[in-house]
């Protein structure tokens, strides 16, 4: 029982996200494209709904006719929080980081990291995806955007 929750997380940088999801026939589209510098989102061909996280069926109409659509990665900060505790292989020198939930313009909410420059980024600000230096180890990163 105790290993069930910890087994869902990446324990260190020795295990990449690709390792974890390579055999997952749903999530590998998302992570594989992210590693190649593309953000793709699942969309239902039947009712046209974008959704996230990736699933085998549309959460609206239950169709399994799902397509993957490239997103420009623009959106608005829904929530953000500074993290001062090292986890998932982060070192103390890398802290603090800012994690956030981004409402993408397609209407889905995506977890990511904020890269604040200067005055920082606040809830409600417009942001755009900037790919992480090591996308297979990291959450998508967002920077300020007009
Ligand atoms: Zn649907």
């Amino acid at each position: 029982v105790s290993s069930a929750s910890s087994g869902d997380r990446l324990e260190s940088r020795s295990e990449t996200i690709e390792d974890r999801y390579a055999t997952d026939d749903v999530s590998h589209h998302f992570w594989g494209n992210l590693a190649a510098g593309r953000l793709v989102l699942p969309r239902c061909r039947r009712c046209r709904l974008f959704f996230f996280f990736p699933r085998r069926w549309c959460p609206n109409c239950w169709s399994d006719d799902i397509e993957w659509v490239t997103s420009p990665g623009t959106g608005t900060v829904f929530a953000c929080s500074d993290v001062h505790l090292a986890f998932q292989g982060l070192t103390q020198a890398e802290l603090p980081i800012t994690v956030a939930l981004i409402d993408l313009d397609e209407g889905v909410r995506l977890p990511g990291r904020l890269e604040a420059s200067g005055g920082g980024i606040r809830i409600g600000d417009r942001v755009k995806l900037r790919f992480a230096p090591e996308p297979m180890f990291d959450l998508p990163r967002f920077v300020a955007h007009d």
Side-chain angles (χ1 to χ4, degrees), residues 94-143:
E94 296 171 278
L95 300 175
I97 65 167
T98 303
V99 294
L101 292 172
I102 308 300
D103 284 342
L104 293 177
D105 293 338
E106 288 85 353
V108 302
R109 188 165 288 162
L110 190 75
R113 281 177 60 172
L114 292 184
E115 288 195 350
S117 58
I121 303 174
R122 296 185 177 145
I123 289 171
D125 284 355
R126 295 286 297 163
V127 290
K128 182 172 176 45
L129 180 70
R130 188 184 77 72
F131 287 95
E134 300 177 272
M136 298 314 286
F137 294 100
D138 215 339
L139 289 170
R141 296 184 183 204
F142 290 87
V143 295

Side-chain angles (χ1 to χ4, degrees), residues 44 46-49 58 60-63:
C44 175
R46 184 174 169 200
C47 75
R48 312 304 292 168
L49 181 78
C58 170
N60 181 51
C61 74
W62 299 103
S63 169

Side-chain angles (χ1 to χ4, degrees), residues 83-87 90-97 113:
V83 176
H84 295 268
L85 190 67
F87 70 105
L90 285 171
T91 65
Q92 204 63 36
E94 296 171 278
L95 300 175
I97 65 167
R113 281 177 60 172

Side-chain angles (χ1 to χ4, degrees), residues 1 12 24-25 27 31-33 41 47 70 74 78 80 89 102:
V1 173
S12 73
D24 183 320
D25 64 348
S27 296
W31 293 111
N33 276 283
L41 298 172
C47 75
T70 301
T74 53
F78 171 77
C80 55
I102 308 300

Side-chain angles (χ1 to χ4, degrees), residues 26-94:
V26 177
S27 296
H28 81 90
H29 291 290
F30 177 76
W31 293 111
N33 276 283
L34 203 63
R38 285 184 302 274
L39 175 64
V40 296
L41 298 172
R43 180 170 65 185
C44 175
R45 282 196 175 101
R46 184 174 169 200
C47 75
R48 312 304 292 168
L49 181 78
F50 281 99
F51 58 91
F52 192 85
F53 56 92
R55 276 161 275 197
R56 213 175 299 280
W57 299 280
C58 170
N60 181 51
C61 74
W62 299 103
S63 169
D64 63 357
D65 190 6
I66 306 301
E67 63 183 343
W68 290 85
V69 179
T70 301
S71 166
T74 53
T76 303
V77 178
F78 171 77
C80 55
S81 181
D82 289 343
V83 176
H84 295 268
L85 190 67
F87 70 105
Q88 289 188 350
L90 285 171
T91 65
Q92 204 63 36
E94 296 171 278

